[in-house]
């Protein structure tokens, strides 16, 4: 329809309604009609609001800019939906850099939406269109935004905000830009589903008649050194009396200081041990849903011995750290794992191989590094002329996980060839090949008692297996994207999965049903860890954020901020008071997560809880941390491949 026809149509409509033939009246109607179909309105309206937001006062700027990402994606999808693909692409490329730091993966997915049909075919785009975004904003910031939109007659932006954004307005001053992890959350049908799922009852306690129970009943949680502490102190006192007569006054002063320091350390250890014992005794006990394997007497005695000699950690009693560094891997190391006692280290490589190092043999050979020198027929030669690792070949694709069974007698590996393989560390041979997944298997983990294991894959599912069956026992489906990591609950009745869809789910292993959905991460979830008492869970994501969750309520207790790159691995200490995290930023961090230091929401708002929780940071020279493991005696093992620093 050309302009003359449009004028005639408008004039005819006005005449029918009783208006005079007034050209001034037709102009605003024509302009409104034209603007409705003008794709440039989106760029103009968004650009003006963006400039206004960036030029606002710093106190309110971070809150006002929270609306920009939802506006950006919905402007883009509106343009695509109306068939303006080229304009939509130009709009997307012009403003994408504003959001790449936080929403890079979402933008990469959104980049594939090129036609109106994609909005319905692509699950990610469809979920965005059907959901709303909750944004927390203070009353004054909200008033500023609405006044600006009305003053500038930004009806298009106002319409998108009204349709796709819910504002949660609160009184008072704006919160800090980095403190509130729940400032922007997606709501809608998915949130309603999560709320419904999270109402289900779960049994998060420990198993009945566990080794910890029997040890606690016999008083075994006290180590041999503590049991004989009274006798030791009296003997030491008698010896000190005789020595003090022949020592100088200066030496007497230093010995008294040292004695006071030792007593203070012992008192702290006793308090920590009492808190741990109380926490264990108050933890509920549950029955296993799976048939538990019979533990050999030898393994049971070894575990009990380790538990008796466990070092109690706290904010003043840091763990010792042993770091295993892979060298000459040529960027081929995809994953690494450490056995429970630290005696074995395994690596999964891009050339489809698995290598297992025995630390005792490396110590005898006099080499402290884990080498993978590809220049010598893929074998590392030790001082005795023999390679110092065991080479396991069988996969036909890159190996993305290699983990040890609790006793260390088996290795479980998963690969891009869609299979999982079980290896014997005694026979150095492949025992079973498990097939069931349809795509790359990203992770596979043994249960705390062995025999059963869980896997997760690019096919968006997780599966439960047992060593004696080649087909999975259960399949868990529900994630909207890759399932990247999996972790067992201490009582073996649940598994947790972390996904690229930015959620963590908890599954019942008996029914295969999802019983919890944890929403809060802003990027893909790469690592998981369960507290020893089974009540809490930690999850780490691609942005470097760690979130502490309460399993019973599915709520985030607090985010732990400190890493500036992917958190690849997490591990709780034996008593659950310290959480260790390893990251691609080449650091290991220790966090105080003991029950006595868990903060309320009010306390978190009043101060920076992360500084209170961060105990210590261990930087490496240039080694991203692939794996962490607390031994049963609370020695922390870590592993990673050294990388060349960027020049």
């Amino acid at each position: 329809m050309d302009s003359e026809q449009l004028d005639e149509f408008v004039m005819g409509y006005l005449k029918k309604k009783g208006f005079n033939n007034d050209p001034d009246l037709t102009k605003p109607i024509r302009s409104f009609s034209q603007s409705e179909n003008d794709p440039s309105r989106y760029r103009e309206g968004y650009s003006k609001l963006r400039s206004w937001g960036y030029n606002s006062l710093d106190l309110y700027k971070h809150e006002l800019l929270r609306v920009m990402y939802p506006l950006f994606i919905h402007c883009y999808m509106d343009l695509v939906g109306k068939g303006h693909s080229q304009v939509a692409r130009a709009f997307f490329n012009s403003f994408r850099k504003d959001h790449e730091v936080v929403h890079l993966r979402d933008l990469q997915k959104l980049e594939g939406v090129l036609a109106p049909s994609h909005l319905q075919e692509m699950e990610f785009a469809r979920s965005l269109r059907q959901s709303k975004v909750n944004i927390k904003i203070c009353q004054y910031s909200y008033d500023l935004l609405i006044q600006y939109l009305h003053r500038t007659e930004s009806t298009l932006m106002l319409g998108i905000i009204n349709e796709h954004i819910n504002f949660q307005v609160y009184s008072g001053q704006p919160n800090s830009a980095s403190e509130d992890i729940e400032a922007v959350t997606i709501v809608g049908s998915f949130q309603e589903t999560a709320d419904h799922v999270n109402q289900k009852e779960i049994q998060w306690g420990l198993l009945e008649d566990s080794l910890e129970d029997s040890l606690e009943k016999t008083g075994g949680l006290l180590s041999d050194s503590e049991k004989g502490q009274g006798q030791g102190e009296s003997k030491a006192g008698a010896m000190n009396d005789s020595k003090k007569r022949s020592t100088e006054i200066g030496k007497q002063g230093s010995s008294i200081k040292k004695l006071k320091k030792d007593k203070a350390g012992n008192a702290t250890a006793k308090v920590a041990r009492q808190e741990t014992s109380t926490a264990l005794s108050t933890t509920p006990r549950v029955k296993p849903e799976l048939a538990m394997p019979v533990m050999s007497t030898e393994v049971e005695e070894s575990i009990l011995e380790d538990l008796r000699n466990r070092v109690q950690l706290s904010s003043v009693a840091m763990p010792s750290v042993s770091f295993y560094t892979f060298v000459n891997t040529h960027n081929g190391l995809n994953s690494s794992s450490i056995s429970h006692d630290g005696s074995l280290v395994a690596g999964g490589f891009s050339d489809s191989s698995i290598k297992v190092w025995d630390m005792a043999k490396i110590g005898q050979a006099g080499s402290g590094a884990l080498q993978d020198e590809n220049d010598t027929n893929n074998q590392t030669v030790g001082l005795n002329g023999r390679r110092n690792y065991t080479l396991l070949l069988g996969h036909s694709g890159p190996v993305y996980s290699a983990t040890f069974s609790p006793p260390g007698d088996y290795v479980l590996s998963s690969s891009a060839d869609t299979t999982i393989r079980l290896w014997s560390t005694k026979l150095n041979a492949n025992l079973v090949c498990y097939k069931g997944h349809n795509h790359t298997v990203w992770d596979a983990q043994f249960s705390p008692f062995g025999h059963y294991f869980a896997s997760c894959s690019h096919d968006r599912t997780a599966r439960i297996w047992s060593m004696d069956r080649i087909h999975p026992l259960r399949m868990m489906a529900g994630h909207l994207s890759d399932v990247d990591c999996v972790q067992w609950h201490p009582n073996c009745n649940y598994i947790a999965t972390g996904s690229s869809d930015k959620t963590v789910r908890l599954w019942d292993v008996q029914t295969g049903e999802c019983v919890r959905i944890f929403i809060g991460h802003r990027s893909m979830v790469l690592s998981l860890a369960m507290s020893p008492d089974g009540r809490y869970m930690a999850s780490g994501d691609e942005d470097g954020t760690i979130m502490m969750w309460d399993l019973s309520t599915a709520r985030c207790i607090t985010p732990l901020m400190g890493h500036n790159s992917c958190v690849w691995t997490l591990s709780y200490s034996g008593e659950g008071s310290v959480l260790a995290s390893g990251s691609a930023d080449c650091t290991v961090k220790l966090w105080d997560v003991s029950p006595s230091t868990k903060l309320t929401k009010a306390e978190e708002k009043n101060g920076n809880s992360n500084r209170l929780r961060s105990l210590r940071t261990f930087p490496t020279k240039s080694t991203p941390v692939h794996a962490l493991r607390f031994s049963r005696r609370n020695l922390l093992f870590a592993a990673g491949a050294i990388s060349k620093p960027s020049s």
Side-chain angles (χ1 to χ4, degrees):
M1 183 181 290
D2 57 25
S3 59
E4 292 182 0
Q5 290 176 326
L6 184 61
D7 281 339
E8 290 178 6
F9 178 79
V10 172
M11 295 298 293
Y13 176 81
L14 292 174
K15 191 173 182 180
K16 186 185 295 185
K17 294 296 182 181
F19 291 95
N20 293 327
N21 189 5
D22 186 1
D24 293 335
L25 193 59
T26 65
K27 289 181 181 179
I29 297 176
R30 279 192 59 193
S31 64
F32 180 77
S33 175
Q34 289 174 344
S35 66
E36 279 291 300
N37 298 316
D38 185 6
S40 64
R41 293 187 312 136
Y42 287 90
R43 186 187 191 95
E44 182 182 354
Y46 181 86
S47 181
K48 286 182 178 179
L49 182 59
R50 174 179 177 270
S51 298
W52 174 77
Y54 277 105
N55 291 323
S56 300
L57 292 174
D58 290 341
L59 181 62
Y60 306 104
K61 183 191 296 185
H62 67 276
E63 286 199 336
L64 296 171
L65 291 178
R66 285 172 184 167
V67 303
M68 298 312 300
Y69 178 66
L71 280 175
F72 171 75
I73 60 176
H74 285 292
C75 283
Y76 174 72
M77 289 191 288
D78 279 357
L79 287 168
V80 171
K82 293 179 179 180
H84 306 297
S85 298
Q86 291 184 349
V87 178
R89 177 57 54 194
F91 174 83
F92 186 86
N93 292 333
S94 296
F95 301 109
R96 68 173 297 168
K97 288 185 178 180
D98 293 347
H99 313 289
E100 282 184 342
V101 174
V102 178
H103 303 285
L104 178 60
R105 288 200 170 265
D106 285 355
L107 295 178
Q108 290 172 345
K109 294 178 184 177
L110 205 60
E111 206 169 13
V113 180
L114 302 172
S117 59
H118 294 170
L119 295 173
Q120 294 300 322
E121 294 170 359
M122 294 182 65
E123 194 170 12
F124 175 71
R126 191 170 66 250
S127 66
L128 286 177
R129 299 290 274 180
Q130 294 173 353
S131 302
K132 280 197 170 187
V133 177
N134 260 355
I135 295 181
K136 288 185 178 180
I137 190 169
C138 77
Q139 183 68 53
Y140 192 74
S141 298
Y142 177 76
D143 292 340
L144 284 175
L145 177 63
I146 299 302
Q147 287 173 11
Y148 168 81
L149 293 172
H150 283 293
R151 187 177 68 252
T152 57
E153 297 181 354
S154 303
T155 54
L156 181 62
M157 297 296 107
L158 194 58
I160 295 175
I161 288 174
N162 183 60
E163 186 177 356
H164 297 290
I165 296 178
N166 283 334
F167 286 108
Q168 295 181 343
V169 182
Y170 62 90
S171 58
Q173 292 295 316
N175 289 335
S176 168
S178 60
E179 283 295 303
D180 196 349
I181 199 72
E182 298 177 346
V184 181
T185 55
I186 296 178
V187 297
S189 57
F190 181 70
Q191 182 67 48
E192 292 172 3
T193 302
D195 291 340
H196 176 71
V197 168
N198 293 340
Q199 291 176 1
K200 297 177 181 178
E201 184 179 356
I202 64 168
Q203 304 292 329
W204 56 264
L206 298 176
L207 288 182
E208 294 178 347
D209 302 324
S210 62
L211 291 177
E212 287 83 356
D213 276 351
S214 60
L215 202 62
E216 187 181 358
K217 290 175 183 176
T218 59
L221 283 174
L222 294 176
S223 65
D224 294 337
S225 60
E226 283 191 1
K227 288 177 182 176
Q229 190 173 359
Q231 298 176 359
E233 285 181 354
S234 61
K235 291 179 180 178
M239 292 177 64
N240 287 337
D241 287 342
S242 61
K243 288 180 179 179
K244 282 178 183 177
R245 296 189 184 98
S246 59
T247 55
E248 297 176 357
I249 297 175
K251 291 183 179 179
Q252 285 180 355
S254 62
S255 64
I256 291 172
K257 288 180 182 178
K258 185 175 183 299
L259 187 61
K260 288 181 179 179
K261 187 177 180 181
D262 291 342
K263 286 183 178 180
N266 290 335
T268 304
K270 286 180 181 179
V271 171
R273 194 178 296 275
Q274 288 171 359
E275 288 181 355
T276 303
S277 179
T278 303
L280 283 174
S281 61
T282 56
T283 301
R285 298 302 190 259
V286 298
K287 293 182 179 180
E289 294 183 359
L290 297 173
M292 289 292 102
V294 179
M295 190 180 299
S296 67
T297 305
E298 183 181 354
V299 172
E300 186 175 332
E301 289 178 353
S302 174
I303 294 175
L304 288 172
E305 181 66 20
D306 287 340
L307 294 178
R308 290 191 192 99
N309 291 279
R310 174 182 291 166
V311 177
Q312 294 301 310
L313 303 181
S314 66
S315 58
V316 294
M318 296 287 104
S320 299
V321 185
S322 176
F323 201 102
Y324 300 138
T325 303
F326 292 81
V327 297
N328 300 324
T329 60
H330 306 291
N331 296 322
L333 181 71
N334 292 329
S335 66
S336 60
S337 179
I338 306 163
S339 63
H340 281 266
D341 59 359
S343 61
L344 298 173
V345 178
F349 291 85
S350 297
D351 62 2
S352 77
S353 68
I354 301 154
K355 298 181 175 73
V356 181
W357 285 264
D358 188 327
M359 292 298 103
K361 293 180 181 178
I362 288 183
Q364 293 172 0
S367 172
L370 309 180
Q371 298 187 22
D372 174 35
E373 186 58 71
N374 294 329
D375 298 336
T376 58
N377 297 324
N378 208 25
Q379 295 182 1
T380 301
V381 180
L383 296 178
N384 55 3
R386 307 169 73 179
R387 70 183 182 211
N388 56 10
Y389 63 83
T390 300
L391 181 65
L392 304 176
L393 297 175
H395 283 293
S396 58
V399 179
Y400 288 110
S401 77
T403 55
F404 290 96
S405 62
D409 49 354
Y410 297 106
V411 173
L412 196 65
S413 61
S414 66
S415 168
D417 64 12
T418 75
T419 67
I420 304 161
R421 289 180 179 265
L422 183 70
W423 311 80
S424 170
T425 56
K426 296 179 180 178
L427 302 176
N428 297 330
N430 182 218
L431 303 180
V432 191
C433 179
Y434 303 95
K435 298 179 180 180
H437 284 289
N438 301 321
H439 290 284
T440 301
V441 185
W442 296 121
D443 194 13
Q445 295 289 334
F446 272 106
S447 76
F449 297 92
H451 186 68
Y452 299 101
F453 60 92
S455 61
C456 60
S457 166
H458 177 61
D459 63 14
R460 305 182 183 182
T461 67
R463 305 182 190 221
I464 304 291
W465 312 71
S466 65
M467 289 171 55
D468 55 354
R469 298 189 182 185
I470 60 173
H471 298 295
L473 305 177
R474 296 284 183 276
M475 182 175 74
M476 287 75 170
H479 280 292
L480 304 178
S481 188
D482 290 37
V483 186
D484 299 298
C485 53
V486 63
Q487 189 61 253
W488 285 83
H489 191 274
N491 64 24
C492 295
N493 290 338
Y494 305 96
I495 64 165
T497 53
S499 169
S500 295
D501 65 12
K502 307 177 188 176
T503 67
V504 180
R505 290 177 180 246
L506 191 70
W507 309 83
D508 189 314
V509 299
Q510 184 63 34
T511 63
E513 183 182 20
C514 179
V515 294
R516 287 289 182 274
I517 301 177
F518 304 91
I519 301 174
H521 282 286
R522 298 181 183 176
S523 59
M524 62 190 295
V525 182
L526 300 174
S527 54
L528 296 167
M530 293 282 185
S531 64
D533 63 0
R535 182 175 181 180
Y536 303 105
M537 176 179 66
S539 55
D541 65 23
E542 189 181 31
D543 293 338
T545 301
I546 303 166
M547 301 190 77
M548 288 278 298
W549 305 93
D550 187 327
L551 295 187
S552 58
T553 63
R555 294 191 177 277
C556 177
I557 300 170
T558 181
L560 304 176
M561 317 286 282
H563 289 293
N564 54 34
S565 188
C566 309
V567 179
W568 279 337
T569 178
L570 295 166
S571 182
Y572 273 95
S573 60
E575 76 291 328
S577 62
V578 174
L579 176 69
S581 60
S583 170
D585 64 9
C586 302
T587 63
V588 175
K589 288 183 178 291
L590 299 180
W591 310 86
D592 185 2
V593 293
S594 57
S596 58
T597 61
K598 290 193 169 58
L599 305 179
T600 64
K601 288 286 183 182
E603 289 174 323
E604 288 177 24
K605 289 180 180 179
N606 293 334
N608 190 344
S609 61
N610 301 314
R611 292 181 182 175
L612 297 176
R613 292 178 173 278
S614 182
L615 296 177
R616 191 166 179 185
T617 299
F618 298 97
T620 64
K621 286 186 177 179
S622 184
T623 305
V625 184
H626 280 266
L628 289 172
R629 163 86 72 182
F630 270 104
S631 72
R632 295 189 185 94
R633 300 192 182 197
N634 270 345
L635 172 63
L636 180 58
F637 297 103
I642 194 167
S643 60
K644 294 181 180 179
S646 57
S647 56

